[in-house]
Amino acid sequence: LNNPEEDTWYKIGVHYWGEKGFGPSHATVRIWIQGALMLETEPVMMKSMERWSVGRVCPACEGDKLELFKNPDGTPVVETFEHPMFMN
């Protein structure tokens, strides 16, 4: 974001639409704030029609600018997600 809004949190997520015959994929997220790398995740395995809710970021906030979402056991939040606009 070139001009993030002040005190505004932006959600970060990855959606794996389709395998196209290649099978599961591994997603990595990198977040830079003002030119500095703030986060680089470990790869997360995803299958077709899954969504990874990574977290949220507030680039123009003071203090903590990043919050990661995790399941109670500490694993990434990956769920089946079938958007009704893109289903057959």
Side-chain angles (χ1 to χ4, degrees):
L1 297 170
N2 290 329
N3 297 304
E5 293 185 38
E6 219 171 286
D7 297 323
T8 299
W9 288 87
Y10 298 90
K11 288 185 179 179
I12 304 158
V14 177
H15 188 243
Y16 188 26
W17 291 102
E19 299 173 358
K20 306 282 186 196
F22 292 101
S25 188
H26 291 84
T28 300
V29 172
R30 293 178 189 93
I31 298 171
W32 284 267
I33 297 177
Q34 297 177 345
L37 182 63
M38 301 299 290
L39 172 71
E40 181 170 356
T41 67
E42 293 292 322
V44 171
M45 190 184 79
M46 299 180 72
K47 295 181 247 169
S48 229
M49 302 309 290
E50 285 187 334
R51 178 179 59 190
W52 171 22
S53 297
V54 179
R56 63 186 194 142
V57 63
C58 183
C61 289
E62 293 293 323
D64 292 335
K65 298 176 182 231
L66 184 62
E67 177 186 343
L68 298 179
F69 300 150
K70 298 280 185 181
N71 287 312
D73 65 359
T75 58
V77 180
V78 178
E79 306 167 300
T80 300
F81 179 75
E82 297 179 351
H83 194 288
M85 298 288 291
F86 301 103
M87 299 309 300
N88 295 333

